[in-house]
Amino acid sequence: MSELIIRTAGSGDIEQLADMRYDYALEDHPETSVTDEQKRDYIDEMHEFLEEAIGSEHWVVWVAEYGDEIVGHAYLEMVRKVPRPGRVTKPFIYMTNVYTRPQHRGLGIGSRLAQVIEQWARELDHEFIMVWPKQPNEAFYTKNGYTACSVPMEIRL
């Protein structure tokens, strides 16, 4: 097997990232049926999102790859906080859609990806990385240094 490479995504990764997001969503909801038209709509929307996100100031997509295959990824949205008087305001990162292909799980790829992202965020002087893990994934984040914080509030629109 090739060496594991952790890097930020480029426009040449859009097809694999769109496919992985599709697999990720259906893995969590195997009861979901998607028509061919819905899949085409999803692919169009995801391609548009990725074309806009990759290279923007607001999103960074990190990938883990072996050879030409992306085997894991994480999406990071940079959030700039409103300045407050008397203190330096640092941005934070919202991390979402962290995924490793099932056949590559248990090999430390997700942890390596998390470590690289943490180091990168520290170098850029971000205040924190926030993630809302699904229940079975909390152990992964705890193992990688994340701690639980109070639950945010929301209003469904």
Side-chain angles (χ1 to χ4, degrees):
M1 186 174 273
S2 302
E3 179 182 346
L4 179 68
I5 305 287
I6 307 287
R7 62 173 177 80
T8 57
S11 59
D13 300 317
I14 289 175
E15 195 69 40
Q16 284 191 74
L17 289 168
D19 288 345
M20 288 177 73
R21 174 66 176 161
Y22 185 82
D23 294 344
Y24 172 71
L26 293 184
E27 181 180 325
D28 282 349
H29 302 282
E31 75 285 355
T32 303
S33 63
V34 178
T35 66
D36 289 342
E37 182 180 354
Q38 289 172 320
K39 186 171 182 178
R40 281 191 301 274
D41 289 346
Y42 156 76
I43 288 170
D44 290 345
E45 183 180 9
M46 191 64 183
H47 278 241
E48 182 180 322
F49 170 81
L50 286 166
E51 287 167 4
E52 187 177 306
I54 291 174
S56 77
E57 295 178 13
H58 304 288
W59 284 94
V60 177
V61 180
W62 283 88
V63 298
E65 70 177 357
Y66 280 122
D68 292 336
E69 182 186 13
I70 296 174
V71 298
H73 59 64
Y75 288 62
L76 300 127
E77 184 174 17
M78 309 303 118
V79 181
R80 185 172 176 206
K81 293 169 39 180
V82 177
R84 288 178 42 183
R87 67 185 279 195
V88 175
T89 306
K90 298 178 182 181
F92 70 92
I93 296 170
Y94 168 60
M95 183 166 62
T96 187
N97 196 35
V98 179
Y99 179 72
T100 301
R101 290 184 190 270
Q103 64 271 32
H104 295 282
R105 292 182 187 152
L107 303 174
I109 293 168
S111 291
R112 182 70 188 122
L113 188 58
Q115 292 162 1
V116 169
I117 289 168
E118 180 184 346
Q119 181 60 37
W120 171 81
R122 286 180 188 283
E123 289 171 5
L124 291 178
D125 205 24
H126 284 79
E127 186 173 349
F128 59 88
I129 300 171
M130 178 178 64
V131 61
W132 275 292
K134 293 179 288 193
Q135 193 72 16
N137 296 335
E138 289 178 3
F140 167 80
Y141 291 103
T142 300
K143 175 180 82 174
N144 284 288
Y146 287 76
T147 57
C149 59
S150 60
V151 177
M153 297 176 71
E154 67 181 8
I155 184 170
R156 294 280 180 175
L157 305 175

